Amino acid sequence: MLSLLKRQITCSSHNSSVLIGSVPKIQNDLGINIKKSYYSNIWTSKVFDNPKINHNENSFLVTKRNMGVPGNMGMDHIGIVVPNVAKAAEFLIEVFDAEFDWEVKREPKPNFGERDWANLFGVHPETYMPHVLMLKCGDAHLTQYVELFEFVSPEQSELKGRGGWHRFSDVGNSYISFTVKDIKKVVAHVKEKVIPKWPGVQFIQDPPWSFPLRGDVCTSTFLVSPWGQWIELTEWQKAGQQGTVIKKTRNQENSHPLIGKHISSLPTPSFLVDLDSFEHNSKLLSSRIKAKNINWRPPCKAHKCPAIANKLQSYGAKGIVVLTLSEAQSFAAEGIRDIFIANEIIGAENIEELSLLAKRVDVLRVNVDDEQNIRDINAAVKKWEITTPIEILVELNIGHNRCGVTPEQSVRLAQVVKELEERSGGVKFMGISGYEGHTPILPPEEKKIETEKSHSVLRLSKELIEKQGIKVQVVTGGGSCNYIQSLETNILTELQAGGGAIVDQLYYEKAGLGLHGHKIGAGVLTQIMSGSIETGRFMGDAGFKAVGWHPFGGLPRIRDENKYGLNVSGLSAEHTRFLKKSENVDPSLFPKRGDKIVLVPGYTDAMGFLHRQIVAIRNDVVEDVWPTLS
């Protein structure tokens, strides 16, 4: 900003002054006179080249001693009133990689007068605030947020600046500033990509100005936003070399060093997903579920990977399923906006976190099986002046004997939710849910019978609730292991199948998806670290801490079964145990120390959380690397 106006960078007032430490060598360049205070051993500065400035009246009081508020952690965010929040947010998200944090939308009624806010805020009683939205504009934990407000009021001032914004000299005008690594590159990008798309966007100063500031050299220019507010772009000669670009930009600009390499170059152990199989399975799931006019909501607890969640949305999925509050928070932080926690959330702290999470997503849905839990959730939401309701599903026990109620008990819980919805709006009744966790590896005919029996419980619950005049909009259940059977019961409005997109041994063999056209896509890469040709015993470096373990899934197996003459015989914490298939195996097939072998895991639900990244491969060549939330 000093590129436009010379102003005090450190000031004195009366007998107190500003501590600036050692005096930089830039005062002559800025026309600033630095002098030592008469009253204390610190330095002060004033702009002396403007005779119109009254230095006593216009300077700020800051003492050497810490007289500020206790526990000050720095600036948290800035708030800006804009003409249209949605358009402003779209611009900042697209152009500056800002990330959505939360938003609230309001109807015109009640207005500020009816809320008794008119006097509090000093505005017209008919004022209302249709839209508020918070964006994160950097990676710092508590800072770098911008809050956008949209107001409608009979007394709003008519602004005279560019694009219907303040003139730069208006009292109340504000601007925001972004630091970039290479301002020439950014200016070229804005001219090529941004200005042609966004009407009203233009540069104030082109080329940018350079000037000394903070003992560094700052290069700066201003961009006019679509709503007329100025946005500064700055590059710092020294400090810029020490900083890093934000995570979202890093992900866009820097391809992962593993991309393009053969899996033989990967570190071990590594979690692999074969893209040909994943894409085939996803399309198969989507087409079959869509043909029954049912929504597809895949669970993400196995892979914990936002990239996979987003890819499944692109194949037709609607939202995701998670099992814990922390999973929901993590996926929301990565931009997933429709989340169903298929579990009960209890405890005051957890429920308060749940109420806050509702403000960060479009849809937040949760299971309940207890009346007090419903009331606690409603109270937590209503504690905030701005109410963002949580969608409620009553969970039925449909044979798994874990959580859930009977159809008769579900009626009372639905009535409680509906009463609270109509009276206070903290919760919203959406329907019922159930989990057939006892059916995954049953034989096909028995699985069909048990799935029908389970869904008959959901059907009865729906009938009983709707007899009370309460609409059941959502009936959700099923899973990858029984999705074929679930599609035939004609009760579900939503099917929860996620593992069938990746497919491991359990899904392919024991759950029978291989018979229905699915392909194995999950893998774990291990490396031979020890072995003996004489005994036919070899050790890999992927134990149960990398491959996981679940009684349904069993031991992993070698993907290329006929290549090495070995079977997996056991797992320890850090080792895969391989043993020759028989005494007659040709020893020339045995792997050598350092050879890498792809294992097919028993059950990805038991291993996904063990890995921080998933390597997406095609024909054994790395095509992408996806971070997980583990």
Side-chain angles (χ1 to χ4, degrees):
M1 190 55 224
L2 281 177
S3 61
L4 298 179
L5 299 171
K6 289 183 178 178
R7 65 182 184 185
Q8 293 170 263
I9 57 171
T10 53
C11 313
S12 67
S13 176
H14 305 294
N15 294 335
S16 300
S17 41
V18 178
L19 177 64
I20 63 172
S22 61
V23 183
K25 299 296 186 182
I26 64 171
Q27 60 264 36
N28 292 333
D29 296 322
L30 295 177
I32 297 175
N33 182 19
I34 308 293
K35 66 175 184 177
K36 199 171 184 180
S37 168
Y38 177 79
Y39 295 97
S40 59
N41 187 29
I42 58 178
W43 295 93
T44 64
S45 67
K46 292 180 181 177
V47 179
F48 285 98
D49 59 351
N50 188 344
K52 296 182 179 180
I53 294 179
N54 182 323
H55 299 294
N56 286 328
E57 293 180 2
N58 290 281
S59 55
F60 298 97
L61 171 63
V62 184
T63 66
K64 182 177 181 180
R65 299 179 182 86
N66 180 13
M67 300 296 289
V69 296
N72 185 353
M73 298 176 71
M75 181 179 289
D76 180 85
H77 74 280
I78 60 171
I80 305 169
V81 178
V82 296
N84 186 302
V85 162
K87 289 183 179 179
E90 182 186 4
F91 179 78
L92 292 173
I93 289 170
E94 179 176 316
V95 178
F96 292 100
D97 286 324
E99 297 181 63
F100 173 87
D101 189 63
W102 59 262
E103 71 177 337
V104 174
K105 295 181 179 179
R106 276 189 163 140
E107 298 298 324
K109 297 289 185 177
N111 58 33
F112 273 37
E114 293 162 332
R115 290 178 182 272
D116 200 26
W117 283 3
N119 290 332
L120 180 66
F121 288 93
V123 297
H124 193 282
E126 293 180 14
T127 298
Y128 73 97
M129 188 167 49
H131 202 176
V132 183
L133 187 144
M134 184 77 84
L135 295 174
K136 185 84 168 73
C137 298
D139 293 338
H141 180 55
L142 289 177
T143 60
Q144 299 177 311
Y145 287 87
V146 174
E147 189 171 10
L148 303 174
F149 296 87
E150 183 179 329
F151 281 92
V152 176
S153 175
E155 292 184 341
Q156 274 185 318
S157 302
E158 183 180 351
L159 304 179
K160 305 293 186 180
R162 287 183 175 92
W165 188 254
H166 294 276
R167 286 171 298 203
F168 203 77
S169 58
D170 286 348
V171 173
N173 180 42
S174 61
Y175 70 88
I176 54 179
S177 180
F178 289 88
T179 297
V180 299
K181 273 283 189 183
D182 185 338
I183 200 163
K184 290 182 179 179
K185 187 176 180 180
V186 171
V187 168
H189 170 84
V190 170
K191 288 178 179 178
E192 179 185 355
K193 305 282 189 180
V194 179
I195 290 177
K197 179 176 179 179
W198 294 90
V201 173
Q202 60 179 294
F203 280 110
I204 296 296
Q205 173 64 28
D206 185 20
W209 288 332
S210 294
F211 49 92
L213 187 63
R214 305 179 196 164
D216 203 338
V217 176
C218 178
T219 302
S220 166
T221 187
F222 280 89
L223 189 71
V224 179
S225 69
W227 60 95
Q229 185 179 25
W230 290 21
I231 297 176
E232 187 179 23
L233 305 172
T234 62
E235 175 194 322
W236 296 91
Q237 182 174 291
K238 296 177 183 177
Q241 301 306 312
Q242 300 170 4
T244 58
V245 298
I246 63 173
K247 180 175 67 174
K248 199 167 184 181
T249 303
R250 287 200 302 273
N251 293 341
Q252 293 168 356
E253 293 181 350
N254 302 325
S255 62
H256 198 283
L258 294 178
I259 291 175
K261 294 187 176 181
H262 190 269
I263 59 171
S264 59
S265 300
L266 296 179
T268 55
S270 287
F271 182 1
L272 310 176
V273 168
D274 182 272
L275 286 172
D276 286 334
S277 296
F278 173 76
E279 291 164 2
H280 167 83
N281 296 334
S282 299
K283 291 174 183 176
L284 200 59
L285 280 165
S286 180
S287 62
R288 286 173 173 168
I289 295 171
K290 186 178 180 180
K292 292 290 186 176
N293 198 29
I294 294 174
N295 288 329
W296 175 28
R297 184 181 287 271
C300 293
K301 59 185 174 62
H303 54 75
K304 293 181 180 290
C305 178
I308 290 180
N310 282 317
K311 286 184 178 297
L312 293 177
Q313 309 300 305
S314 72
Y315 286 113
K318 184 178 184 295
I320 65 168
V321 182
V322 296
L323 269 292
T324 69
L325 176 60
S326 62
E327 285 177 342
Q329 291 169 320
S330 297
F331 275 102
E334 294 296 324
I336 303 297
R337 304 289 296 277
D338 186 341
I339 300 174
F340 170 33
I341 306 176
N343 208 350
E344 285 68 23
I345 303 299
I346 63 168
E349 290 185 5
N350 288 337
I351 291 174
E352 180 172 301
E353 289 292 317
L354 187 73
S355 72
L356 293 171
L357 178 60
K359 298 179 182 299
R360 300 182 61 192
V361 296
D362 294 333
V363 174
L364 181 61
R365 188 177 291 173
V366 66
N367 272 349
V368 300
D369 65 358
D370 176 76
E371 180 174 335
Q372 187 57 51
N373 187 215
I374 297 168
R375 297 188 183 279
D376 291 343
I377 292 171
N378 182 72
V381 173
K382 291 303 296 178
K383 183 172 71 172
W384 314 116
E385 193 281 327
I386 300 174
T387 297
T388 308
I390 293 172
E391 295 186 358
I392 300 295
L393 296 183
V394 175
E395 183 173 10
L396 278 293
N397 179 359
I398 59 175
H400 190 42
N401 297 324
R402 191 171 66 181
C403 298
V405 296
T406 66
E408 293 74 18
Q409 292 169 328
S410 72
V411 177
R412 172 57 186 162
L413 296 184
Q415 289 173 326
V416 171
V417 178
K418 199 65 181 177
E419 289 168 6
L420 292 171
E421 176 186 341
E422 294 173 349
R423 187 168 70 242
S424 61
V427 291
K428 181 179 180 181
F429 179 74
M430 291 302 293
I432 56 178
S433 73
Y435 176 54
E436 313 90 318
H438 57 298
T439 69
I441 60 174
L442 293 176
E445 281 305 312
E446 190 176 348
K447 184 185 295 186
K448 181 175 184 292
I449 292 169
E450 287 299 318
T451 298
E452 290 173 347
K453 189 186 298 184
S454 295
H455 288 195
S456 69
V457 178
L458 294 172
R459 182 177 283 104
L460 177 58
S461 174
K462 180 177 185 291
E463 292 171 356
L464 292 175
I465 292 171
E466 290 191 334
K467 279 183 180 179
Q468 302 302 313
I470 301 172
K471 177 66 176 174
V472 177
Q473 299 180 54
V474 175
V475 181
T476 183
S480 291
C481 290
N482 73 334
Y483 91 92
I484 296 293
Q485 294 78 17
S486 295
L487 290 174
E488 302 304 319
T489 63
N490 299 318
I491 181 61
L492 298 182
T493 65
E494 179 180 273
L495 199 147
Q496 302 172 33
I502 299 176
V503 183
D504 48 40
Q505 281 196 90
L506 184 149
Y507 289 114
Y508 188 80
E509 297 169 4
K510 295 184 179 181
L513 292 190
L515 300 175
H516 295 282
H518 286 256
K519 299 178 180 180
I520 289 177
V524 175
L525 188 69
T526 186
Q527 182 170 194
I528 298 299
M529 55 196 301
S530 177
S532 167
I533 293 177
E534 290 75 20
T535 63
R537 185 177 68 246
F538 296 83
M539 293 293 160
D541 61 356
F544 61 72
K545 289 167 69 176
V547 183
W549 168 255
H550 192 281
F552 282 6
L555 291 173
R557 66 171 173 81
I558 297 174
R559 184 191 68 179
D560 306 308
E561 294 180 282
N562 299 319
K563 186 174 180 179
Y564 301 103
L566 302 175
N567 286 324
V568 176
S569 62
L571 294 171
S572 53
E574 305 291 354
H575 298 84
T576 319
R577 297 173 180 268
F578 297 98
L579 194 62
K580 60 184 178 183
K581 289 183 175 182
S582 71
E583 293 298 327
N584 300 322
V585 173
D586 181 357
S588 67
L589 294 175
F590 292 157
K592 299 178 177 61
R593 192 185 304 267
D595 283 354
K596 294 179 180 179
I597 297 175
V598 178
L599 303 175
V600 178
Y603 189 31
T604 47
D605 280 44
M607 63 160 275
F609 65 93
L610 300 170
H611 296 264
R612 294 181 180 177
Q613 66 181 28
I614 297 173
V615 182
I617 63 173
R618 200 184 304 272
N619 299 321
D620 284 351
V621 174
V622 178
E623 208 165 280
D624 210 344
V625 178
W626 302 327
T628 72
L629 302 175
S630 299

Short mmCIF file of all heavy atoms in Angstrom, two decimals, residues 280-296 315-316 479-488 490 492 495 497 500-501 503 507 511-519:
data_model
loop_
_atom_site.label_atom_id
_atom_site.label_comp_id
_atom_site.label_asym_id
_atom_site.label_seq_id
_atom_site.Cartn_x
_atom_site.Cartn_y
_atom_site.Cartn_z
N HIS A 280 -14.11 -49.44 -13.79
CA HIS A 280 -15.09 -50.45 -14.20
C HIS A 280 -16.11 -50.71 -13.09
O HIS A 280 -17.32 -50.72 -13.34
CB HIS A 280 -14.36 -51.75 -14.57
CG HIS A 280 -15.26 -52.93 -14.71
ND1 HIS A 280 -15.95 -53.20 -15.87
CD2 HIS A 280 -15.58 -53.92 -13.82
CE1 HIS A 280 -16.67 -54.30 -15.71
NE2 HIS A 280 -16.46 -54.76 -14.47
N ASN A 281 -15.62 -50.94 -11.88
CA ASN A 281 -16.51 -51.24 -10.76
C ASN A 281 -17.44 -50.07 -10.43
O ASN A 281 -18.62 -50.27 -10.13
CB ASN A 281 -15.69 -51.59 -9.53
CG ASN A 281 -14.88 -52.86 -9.70
OD1 ASN A 281 -15.24 -53.73 -10.48
ND2 ASN A 281 -13.77 -52.95 -8.98
N SER A 282 -16.90 -48.85 -10.50
CA SER A 282 -17.71 -47.67 -10.18
C SER A 282 -18.85 -47.50 -11.18
O SER A 282 -19.99 -47.20 -10.81
CB SER A 282 -16.82 -46.42 -10.18
OG SER A 282 -15.82 -46.52 -9.20
N LYS A 283 -18.55 -47.69 -12.44
CA LYS A 283 -19.59 -47.58 -13.47
C LYS A 283 -20.64 -48.68 -13.31
O LYS A 283 -21.84 -48.44 -13.51
CB LYS A 283 -18.96 -47.66 -14.86
CG LYS A 283 -18.11 -46.45 -15.22
CD LYS A 283 -17.38 -46.65 -16.55
CE LYS A 283 -16.49 -45.47 -16.87
NZ LYS A 283 -15.71 -45.69 -18.12
N LEU A 284 -20.19 -49.86 -12.93
CA LEU A 284 -21.11 -50.98 -12.73
C LEU A 284 -22.07 -50.69 -11.57
O LEU A 284 -23.29 -50.87 -11.70
CB LEU A 284 -20.29 -52.25 -12.45
CG LEU A 284 -20.97 -53.61 -12.67
CD1 LEU A 284 -21.44 -53.76 -14.11
CD2 LEU A 284 -19.99 -54.73 -12.31
N LEU A 285 -21.52 -50.25 -10.45
CA LEU A 285 -22.35 -49.89 -9.30
C LEU A 285 -23.35 -48.80 -9.67
O LEU A 285 -24.55 -48.90 -9.39
CB LEU A 285 -21.47 -49.42 -8.14
CG LEU A 285 -20.80 -50.48 -7.28
CD1 LEU A 285 -19.70 -49.85 -6.44
CD2 LEU A 285 -21.82 -51.16 -6.37
N SER A 286 -22.83 -47.75 -10.28
CA SER A 286 -23.67 -46.60 -10.60
C SER A 286 -24.82 -46.99 -11.52
O SER A 286 -25.98 -46.61 -11.29
CB SER A 286 -22.82 -45.51 -11.26
OG SER A 286 -23.60 -44.39 -11.58
N SER A 287 -24.54 -47.75 -12.57
CA SER A 287 -25.58 -48.09 -13.54
C SER A 287 -26.65 -48.99 -12.92
O SER A 287 -27.85 -48.81 -13.18
CB SER A 287 -24.95 -48.77 -14.76
OG SER A 287 -24.32 -49.98 -14.40
N ARG A 288 -26.24 -49.93 -12.09
CA ARG A 288 -27.21 -50.85 -11.49
C ARG A 288 -28.08 -50.14 -10.46
O ARG A 288 -29.29 -50.39 -10.38
CB ARG A 288 -26.47 -52.02 -10.84
CG ARG A 288 -25.92 -53.01 -11.85
CD ARG A 288 -25.05 -54.08 -11.20
NE ARG A 288 -24.68 -55.10 -12.18
CZ ARG A 288 -23.75 -56.03 -11.97
NH1 ARG A 288 -23.10 -56.06 -10.81
NH2 ARG A 288 -23.46 -56.92 -12.91
N ILE A 289 -27.49 -49.27 -9.67
CA ILE A 289 -28.26 -48.55 -8.65
C ILE A 289 -29.18 -47.53 -9.30
O ILE A 289 -30.36 -47.40 -8.93
CB ILE A 289 -27.30 -47.89 -7.64
CG1 ILE A 289 -26.52 -48.96 -6.88
CG2 ILE A 289 -28.06 -47.00 -6.66
CD1 ILE A 289 -25.39 -48.43 -6.02
N LYS A 290 -28.67 -46.82 -10.28
CA LYS A 290 -29.47 -45.83 -10.99
C LYS A 290 -30.66 -46.46 -11.70
O LYS A 290 -31.75 -45.88 -11.76
CB LYS A 290 -28.60 -45.08 -11.99
CG LYS A 290 -29.29 -43.93 -12.69
CD LYS A 290 -28.34 -43.20 -13.64
CE LYS A 290 -29.04 -42.04 -14.34
NZ LYS A 290 -28.11 -41.33 -15.27
N ALA A 291 -30.48 -47.69 -12.21
CA ALA A 291 -31.57 -48.38 -12.93
C ALA A 291 -32.75 -48.65 -12.02
O ALA A 291 -33.88 -48.79 -12.49
CB ALA A 291 -31.04 -49.68 -13.52
N LYS A 292 -32.51 -48.71 -10.71
CA LYS A 292 -33.58 -48.93 -9.74
C LYS A 292 -34.11 -47.63 -9.14
O LYS A 292 -34.90 -47.64 -8.20
CB LYS A 292 -33.08 -49.84 -8.61
CG LYS A 292 -32.79 -51.27 -9.05
CD LYS A 292 -34.09 -52.00 -9.39
CE LYS A 292 -33.83 -53.47 -9.70
NZ LYS A 292 -35.07 -54.21 -9.95
N ASN A 293 -33.63 -46.50 -9.69
CA ASN A 293 -34.06 -45.18 -9.22
C ASN A 293 -33.77 -44.98 -7.73
O ASN A 293 -34.58 -44.45 -6.97
CB ASN A 293 -35.55 -44.97 -9.50
CG ASN A 293 -35.95 -43.50 -9.45
OD1 ASN A 293 -35.13 -42.63 -9.74
ND2 ASN A 293 -37.17 -43.23 -9.07
N ILE A 294 -32.59 -45.43 -7.34
CA ILE A 294 -32.14 -45.32 -5.95
C ILE A 294 -30.89 -44.44 -5.93
O ILE A 294 -30.08 -44.47 -6.85
CB ILE A 294 -31.81 -46.72 -5.39
CG1 ILE A 294 -33.08 -47.56 -5.30
CG2 ILE A 294 -31.16 -46.63 -4.01
CD1 ILE A 294 -32.83 -49.01 -4.89
N ASN A 295 -30.74 -43.64 -4.86
CA ASN A 295 -29.52 -42.85 -4.69
C ASN A 295 -28.38 -43.76 -4.23
O ASN A 295 -28.58 -44.72 -3.47
CB ASN A 295 -29.73 -41.74 -3.66
CG ASN A 295 -30.61 -40.63 -4.21
OD1 ASN A 295 -30.62 -40.35 -5.40
ND2 ASN A 295 -31.38 -40.00 -3.33
N TRP A 296 -27.18 -43.41 -4.67
CA TRP A 296 -25.98 -44.16 -4.29
C TRP A 296 -25.14 -43.30 -3.35
O TRP A 296 -24.70 -42.22 -3.71
CB TRP A 296 -25.20 -44.52 -5.55
CG TRP A 296 -23.87 -45.19 -5.31
CD1 TRP A 296 -23.52 -45.97 -4.24
CD2 TRP A 296 -22.73 -45.16 -6.16
NE1 TRP A 296 -22.24 -46.42 -4.38
CE2 TRP A 296 -21.73 -45.94 -5.55
CE3 TRP A 296 -22.46 -44.55 -7.39
CZ2 TRP A 296 -20.47 -46.12 -6.13
CZ3 TRP A 296 -21.21 -44.73 -7.96
CH2 TRP A 296 -20.23 -45.51 -7.34
N TYR A 315 -19.05 -40.36 -10.77
CA TYR A 315 -19.72 -41.51 -11.37
C TYR A 315 -21.19 -41.61 -10.97
O TYR A 315 -21.85 -42.59 -11.31
CB TYR A 315 -18.99 -42.80 -11.00
CG TYR A 315 -17.68 -42.99 -11.74
CD1 TYR A 315 -16.47 -42.95 -11.06
CD2 TYR A 315 -17.66 -43.19 -13.12
CE1 TYR A 315 -15.26 -43.12 -11.74
CE2 TYR A 315 -16.46 -43.35 -13.80
CZ TYR A 315 -15.27 -43.31 -13.11
OH TYR A 315 -14.07 -43.47 -13.78
N GLY A 316 -21.67 -40.63 -10.23
CA GLY A 316 -23.10 -40.61 -9.91
C GLY A 316 -23.45 -40.76 -8.46
O GLY A 316 -24.64 -40.72 -8.11
N GLY A 479 -25.21 -52.62 1.38
CA GLY A 479 -23.76 -52.45 1.34
C GLY A 479 -23.23 -53.17 0.12
O GLY A 479 -23.98 -53.82 -0.62
N SER A 480 -21.95 -53.08 -0.09
CA SER A 480 -21.37 -53.73 -1.27
C SER A 480 -21.59 -55.23 -1.27
O SER A 480 -21.83 -55.84 -2.32
CB SER A 480 -19.87 -53.42 -1.35
OG SER A 480 -19.65 -52.06 -1.64
N CYS A 481 -21.51 -55.86 -0.09
CA CYS A 481 -21.61 -57.32 -0.02
C CYS A 481 -22.99 -57.84 -0.40
O CYS A 481 -23.13 -58.97 -0.86
CB CYS A 481 -21.24 -57.80 1.37
SG CYS A 481 -19.49 -57.60 1.77
N ASN A 482 -24.04 -57.03 -0.17
CA ASN A 482 -25.39 -57.49 -0.49
C ASN A 482 -26.15 -56.50 -1.37
O ASN A 482 -27.38 -56.48 -1.37
CB ASN A 482 -26.18 -57.77 0.79
CG ASN A 482 -26.61 -56.52 1.54
OD1 ASN A 482 -25.97 -55.47 1.41
ND2 ASN A 482 -27.68 -56.61 2.30
N TYR A 483 -25.41 -55.68 -2.13
CA TYR A 483 -26.12 -54.67 -2.91
C TYR A 483 -26.97 -55.30 -4.01
O TYR A 483 -28.04 -54.77 -4.36
CB TYR A 483 -25.15 -53.62 -3.45
CG TYR A 483 -24.56 -53.87 -4.81
CD1 TYR A 483 -25.16 -53.37 -5.97
CD2 TYR A 483 -23.36 -54.56 -4.96
CE1 TYR A 483 -24.60 -53.57 -7.23
CE2 TYR A 483 -22.79 -54.77 -6.20
CZ TYR A 483 -23.41 -54.27 -7.34
OH TYR A 483 -22.85 -54.46 -8.58
N ILE A 484 -26.53 -56.42 -4.57
CA ILE A 484 -27.32 -57.11 -5.59
C ILE A 484 -28.67 -57.51 -5.01
O ILE A 484 -29.73 -57.30 -5.63
CB ILE A 484 -26.56 -58.35 -6.13
CG1 ILE A 484 -25.26 -57.92 -6.83
CG2 ILE A 484 -27.46 -59.15 -7.06
CD1 ILE A 484 -25.47 -57.13 -8.11
N GLN A 485 -28.66 -58.09 -3.81
CA GLN A 485 -29.90 -58.51 -3.15
C GLN A 485 -30.74 -57.31 -2.70
O GLN A 485 -31.97 -57.33 -2.79
CB GLN A 485 -29.58 -59.41 -1.95
CG GLN A 485 -28.94 -60.75 -2.31
CD GLN A 485 -27.46 -60.65 -2.64
OE1 GLN A 485 -26.80 -59.66 -2.32
NE2 GLN A 485 -26.93 -61.69 -3.27
N SER A 486 -30.05 -56.25 -2.25
CA SER A 486 -30.77 -55.07 -1.74
C SER A 486 -31.55 -54.35 -2.85
O SER A 486 -32.57 -53.72 -2.58
CB SER A 486 -29.77 -54.09 -1.10
OG SER A 486 -29.18 -54.65 0.04
N LEU A 487 -31.04 -54.43 -4.07
CA LEU A 487 -31.72 -53.77 -5.18
C LEU A 487 -33.06 -54.41 -5.51
O LEU A 487 -33.88 -53.80 -6.22
CB LEU A 487 -30.82 -53.79 -6.42
CG LEU A 487 -29.57 -52.91 -6.38
CD1 LEU A 487 -28.71 -53.14 -7.62
CD2 LEU A 487 -29.95 -51.43 -6.27
N GLU A 488 -33.31 -55.61 -5.00
CA GLU A 488 -34.53 -56.34 -5.35
C GLU A 488 -35.61 -56.27 -4.29
O GLU A 488 -36.71 -56.79 -4.49
CB GLU A 488 -34.18 -57.81 -5.63
CG GLU A 488 -33.16 -58.01 -6.73
CD GLU A 488 -33.59 -57.37 -8.04
OE1 GLU A 488 -34.79 -57.46 -8.39
OE2 GLU A 488 -32.72 -56.78 -8.73
N ASN A 490 -37.01 -53.48 -3.03
CA ASN A 490 -37.94 -52.36 -3.33
C ASN A 490 -38.38 -51.58 -2.11
O ASN A 490 -39.53 -51.16 -2.02
CB ASN A 490 -39.17 -52.89 -4.08
CG ASN A 490 -38.80 -53.54 -5.40
OD1 ASN A 490 -37.97 -53.03 -6.14
ND2 ASN A 490 -39.40 -54.70 -5.68
N LEU A 492 -35.52 -49.60 -0.28
CA LEU A 492 -34.49 -48.58 -0.09
C LEU A 492 -34.69 -47.41 -1.05
O LEU A 492 -35.04 -47.59 -2.22
CB LEU A 492 -33.09 -49.15 -0.31
CG LEU A 492 -32.63 -50.28 0.63
CD1 LEU A 492 -31.21 -50.68 0.29
CD2 LEU A 492 -32.74 -49.86 2.08
N LEU A 495 -28.72 -46.51 -1.28
CA LEU A 495 -27.92 -47.71 -1.05
C LEU A 495 -26.48 -47.33 -0.72
O LEU A 495 -25.87 -46.52 -1.40
CB LEU A 495 -27.96 -48.62 -2.29
CG LEU A 495 -27.58 -50.08 -2.04
CD1 LEU A 495 -28.37 -51.00 -2.95
CD2 LEU A 495 -26.09 -50.30 -2.25
N ALA A 497 -23.00 -48.50 -0.77
CA ALA A 497 -22.01 -49.45 -1.31
C ALA A 497 -20.76 -48.68 -1.69
O ALA A 497 -20.82 -47.82 -2.56
CB ALA A 497 -22.59 -50.18 -2.52
N GLY A 500 -17.32 -52.02 -3.02
CA GLY A 500 -17.49 -52.65 -4.33
C GLY A 500 -16.86 -51.88 -5.46
O GLY A 500 -16.76 -52.39 -6.58
N ALA A 501 -16.44 -50.65 -5.19
CA ALA A 501 -15.74 -49.86 -6.22
C ALA A 501 -14.26 -50.23 -6.28
O ALA A 501 -13.65 -50.16 -7.34
CB ALA A 501 -15.91 -48.36 -5.95
N VAL A 503 -12.74 -53.18 -4.36
CA VAL A 503 -12.80 -54.65 -4.37
C VAL A 503 -11.49 -55.32 -3.92
O VAL A 503 -10.43 -55.16 -4.53
CB VAL A 503 -13.22 -55.21 -5.74
CG1 VAL A 503 -13.33 -56.75 -5.67
CG2 VAL A 503 -14.56 -54.64 -6.17
N TYR A 507 -14.72 -58.94 -0.88
CA TYR A 507 -15.80 -58.56 -1.79
C TYR A 507 -15.83 -59.47 -3.02
O TYR A 507 -16.90 -59.88 -3.47
CB TYR A 507 -15.63 -57.10 -2.22
CG TYR A 507 -15.91 -56.11 -1.12
CD1 TYR A 507 -14.90 -55.31 -0.60
CD2 TYR A 507 -17.18 -55.98 -0.58
CE1 TYR A 507 -15.15 -54.41 0.41
CE2 TYR A 507 -17.44 -55.08 0.44
CZ TYR A 507 -16.43 -54.30 0.93
OH TYR A 507 -16.68 -53.42 1.95
N ALA A 511 -17.91 -62.44 -0.70
CA ALA A 511 -19.20 -61.77 -0.92
C ALA A 511 -19.75 -62.03 -2.32
O ALA A 511 -20.88 -61.65 -2.62
CB ALA A 511 -19.05 -60.27 -0.70
N GLY A 512 -18.95 -62.62 -3.18
CA GLY A 512 -19.43 -63.06 -4.49
C GLY A 512 -19.52 -62.01 -5.56
O GLY A 512 -20.14 -62.24 -6.61
N LEU A 513 -18.88 -60.85 -5.38
CA LEU A 513 -18.99 -59.81 -6.41
C LEU A 513 -18.27 -60.18 -7.70
O LEU A 513 -18.59 -59.66 -8.77
CB LEU A 513 -18.46 -58.47 -5.89
CG LEU A 513 -19.28 -57.80 -4.77
CD1 LEU A 513 -18.77 -56.39 -4.52
CD2 LEU A 513 -20.76 -57.79 -5.08
N GLY A 514 -17.31 -61.08 -7.60
CA GLY A 514 -16.65 -61.55 -8.81
C GLY A 514 -17.63 -62.23 -9.75
O GLY A 514 -17.46 -62.18 -10.98
N LEU A 515 -18.66 -62.85 -9.20
CA LEU A 515 -19.69 -63.51 -10.01
C LEU A 515 -20.63 -62.50 -10.66
O LEU A 515 -21.41 -62.88 -11.55
CB LEU A 515 -20.50 -64.48 -9.14
CG LEU A 515 -19.72 -65.61 -8.47
CD1 LEU A 515 -20.62 -66.41 -7.55
CD2 LEU A 515 -19.07 -66.51 -9.53
N HIS A 516 -20.57 -61.27 -10.22
CA HIS A 516 -21.46 -60.22 -10.75
C HIS A 516 -20.69 -59.17 -11.54
O HIS A 516 -21.15 -58.04 -11.69
CB HIS A 516 -22.23 -59.57 -9.61
CG HIS A 516 -23.17 -60.52 -8.92
ND1 HIS A 516 -24.39 -60.88 -9.44
CD2 HIS A 516 -23.04 -61.20 -7.75
CE1 HIS A 516 -24.99 -61.73 -8.63
NE2 HIS A 516 -24.19 -61.94 -7.59
N GLY A 517 -19.51 -59.54 -12.03
CA GLY A 517 -18.79 -58.68 -12.96
C GLY A 517 -17.78 -57.73 -12.37
O GLY A 517 -17.15 -56.96 -13.11
N HIS A 518 -17.60 -57.74 -11.05
CA HIS A 518 -16.62 -56.83 -10.44
C HIS A 518 -15.21 -57.38 -10.59
O HIS A 518 -14.99 -58.59 -10.73
CB HIS A 518 -16.94 -56.62 -8.95
CG HIS A 518 -18.13 -55.75 -8.72
ND1 HIS A 518 -18.03 -54.44 -8.31
CD2 HIS A 518 -19.46 -55.99 -8.85
CE1 HIS A 518 -19.24 -53.92 -8.19
NE2 HIS A 518 -20.13 -54.84 -8.52
N LYS A 519 -14.23 -56.46 -10.56
CA LYS A 519 -12.82 -56.82 -10.70
C LYS A 519 -12.04 -56.36 -9.47
O LYS A 519 -12.35 -55.31 -8.89
CB LYS A 519 -12.23 -56.16 -11.95
CG LYS A 519 -12.91 -56.59 -13.25
CD LYS A 519 -12.29 -55.85 -14.44
CE LYS A 519 -12.96 -56.26 -15.74
NZ LYS A 519 -12.37 -55.55 -16.91
#
